[in-house]
Amino acid sequence: MGKTDFWASLWALLSSRGRRRYLATHMPEVAARRPSALLRSCAGMGITSLVARYGERYEIELDTRAGHIAVGVLKTGAFQPEPMAVVARLLGEARPLFVNVGANVGTTLLNAHAQGFSRFVAVEPVARNFALLRGNMARNGIAARLHHAALGRVEEEREINLDAHNGGGHSFHGLADPGGVERVRVTRLDRLGLDEPFFLWVDTEGFEAEVLAGCDPALLARHCLGICIELSPLHSGPGPALEVLERLAALFPVLRDDAGRPVRLETLRDDIAAGRVEQIDLVAERLAAVGAEGTDR
């Protein structure tokens, strides 16, 4: 599709009755080939969200200013489903309660549902993301306990920094491209009533140490079957990232990257301390047999 055809098609759809709901759905080629241009055009024309297909079974409403999450969905039809497939494989037939901290607009929950998880708890502090999260769960008929909050070490209210161009980049730490602040409620992980086996997924832009510190270690030892966590020394600094690493090592016998490969704990410690790691996704789990593969620590 040429540039002229692209803009002509875009304007035609913008004038139709179903423009908000079907803009991306009816333009899969444009959405896939030029997602950033499509999103910029929508945002510039005052269209704050659009609905797109997600995977083979779902729809998702995206913030047109959400940055790489929306671009990823429009371009590939999903956002980072591969780590969830790794988690599902490691869990075998088990599908415990799925707890998503930093749930954003629901892409992780949709990925989990596609892998057979059916019971969910989700936590998201930013109002815009939370509204889309709630709508996306309802849109796809997925029941979930949703908490409009952040998780941290103590219960409080505090300001979160909003990323101007990335709906997945809001953080309690400083941002290179700030877009204001929002006051949010912070509660503790162990206040969520998790009294059964669960899998924990954490994506909090550098607040990971605070999330894990807000839970009695005995609860994690008793009920948490595993954790997938985006560790972000770039945002938090090496100290909190190393704190997270020590908590994971104390609780779980197996530590892997998001492709399922064993991680050498000492090497990762050294790399974080030396500033050689900006961000890494880790999967800590206790269900795999601990043998030669799982003891490379």
Side-chain angles (χ1 to χ4, degrees), residues 137-240:
M137 293 303 98
R139 178 186 305 278
N140 291 287
I142 298 174
R145 283 191 283 147
L146 304 180
H147 298 268
H148 185 193
L151 296 188
R153 195 179 302 256
V154 297
E155 295 188 325
E156 60 180 344
E157 287 192 358
R158 62 185 296 168
E159 290 184 339
I160 190 169
N161 297 304
L162 303 180
D163 192 302
H165 301 292
N166 179 7
H170 309 316
S171 176
F172 288 111
H173 299 283
L175 296 174
D177 193 12
V181 297
E182 184 175 312
R183 195 154 188 87
V184 300
R185 180 174 69 92
V186 181
T187 188
R188 287 171 53 91
L189 178 59
D190 55 16
R191 299 288 193 269
L192 300 185
L194 305 176
D195 57 358
E196 62 178 289
F198 64 90
F199 189 90
L200 179 62
W201 192 286
V202 181
D203 184 353
T204 55
E205 303 299 310
F207 212 57
E208 302 83 33
E210 297 294 310
V211 171
L212 295 186
C215 189
D216 183 349
L219 185 150
L220 292 177
R222 183 167 61 251
H223 290 311
C224 187
L225 300 184
I227 299 176
C228 183
I229 191 164
E230 183 185 80
L231 199 59
S232 301
L234 174 66
H235 296 300
S236 69

Side-chain angles (χ1 to χ4, degrees), residues 236-247:
S236 69
L242 290 171
E243 179 185 337
V244 171
L245 202 58
E246 296 311 314
R247 287 182 181 272

Side-chain angles (χ1 to χ4, degrees), residues 124-140:
E124 170 56 42
V126 175
R128 173 64 171 159
N129 287 347
F130 184 79
L132 291 172
L133 169 67
R134 181 170 53 195
N136 285 329
M137 293 303 98
R139 178 186 305 278
N140 291 287

Side-chain angles (χ1 to χ4, degrees), residues 6-7 10 14 19-20 23-24 27 35-50 62-65 74:
F6 169 81
W7 291 112
L10 179 60
L14 288 175
R19 66 182 188 179
R20 181 172 174 272
L23 182 59
M27 298 180 70
S36 296
L38 178 61
L39 292 167
R40 285 196 303 269
S41 299
C42 290
M45 296 173 188
I47 299 174
T48 59
S49 67
L50 55 82
L62 300 166
D63 190 332
T64 57
R65 300 157 297 180
L74 293 177

